[in-house]
Amino acid sequence: MPGRSFVTARWLALLVPGALMAGALGSQYLGGLYPCEMCHWQRWPHYAAILLALLAFVLPARAPRGVLVALAAFAVLTSGAIGVFHAGVEYHWWPGITACSSTVAAGGDPLAAIMHAPIVRCDVPQWSFAGISLAGFNALFSLGGGIAILALMAARRR
């Protein structure tokens, strides 16, 4: 039977990226905040972390579930690192490495869709609270969550 710290780490490995992706997708589809290219970069590690954490739940006890949880933690930390970079671009601490991106709906007249699609800049936050953008919040929660998962995994080894 897995120890209490491992069970908690496994749940965190699923819930941290799951909650962050729920917030990101909710802000996109319910709040109308279109993601820029770097926002998408932050999402991919979360998708990987969710998949790895789900595998850690469904694989048998003799499988290397701890490795999967640790990999999920590193994926969450990766998203946090990308979030730090993206927030730095938004605060103009350093230049970004992407051009502006646009979201174009499929179907109909492609040229009209392109001309009416919103332009989403990576260097301008679409929303912020207390001076922290969504990229900044992703960095804070991802780095904090990833460190917490790894700390619980380390406690498991004691």
Side-chain angles (χ1 to χ4, degrees):
M1 180 165 175
R4 181 180 215 144
S5 63
F6 175 71
V7 171
T8 305
R10 190 170 55 174
W11 276 106
L12 277 177
L14 179 63
L15 295 178
V16 168
L20 288 169
M21 284 312 305
L25 295 171
S27 68
Q28 178 180 347
Y29 292 109
L30 301 175
L33 300 176
Y34 294 99
C36 70
E37 186 174 356
M38 285 198 281
C39 293
H40 283 292
W41 293 354
Q42 293 171 77
R43 291 179 182 192
W44 286 107
H46 285 310
Y47 294 140
I50 291 168
L51 179 63
L52 290 164
L54 285 173
L55 283 173
F57 274 97
V58 299
L59 288 178
R62 64 185 181 278
R65 296 185 303 176
V67 172
L68 294 172
V69 173
L71 288 173
F74 283 115
V76 171
L77 288 170
T78 300
S79 180
I82 296 168
V84 168
F85 179 75
H86 188 187
V89 171
E90 290 175 337
Y91 296 129
H92 303 287
W93 294 340
W94 45 73
I97 55 174
T98 63
C100 293
S101 58
S102 179
T103 306
V104 178
D109 181 18
L111 182 58
I114 291 170
M115 296 305 291
H116 293 96
I119 295 176
V120 183
R121 294 180 49 158
C122 294
D123 64 343
V124 177
Q126 292 188 47
W127 180 90
S128 66
F129 177 74
I132 302 172
S133 67
L134 289 172
F137 278 113
N138 178 57
L140 292 172
F141 292 130
S142 293
L143 294 175
I147 290 168
I149 294 165
L150 290 177
L152 288 166
M153 294 295 293
R156 172 186 180 210
R157 301 220 181 267
R158 289 185 183 159

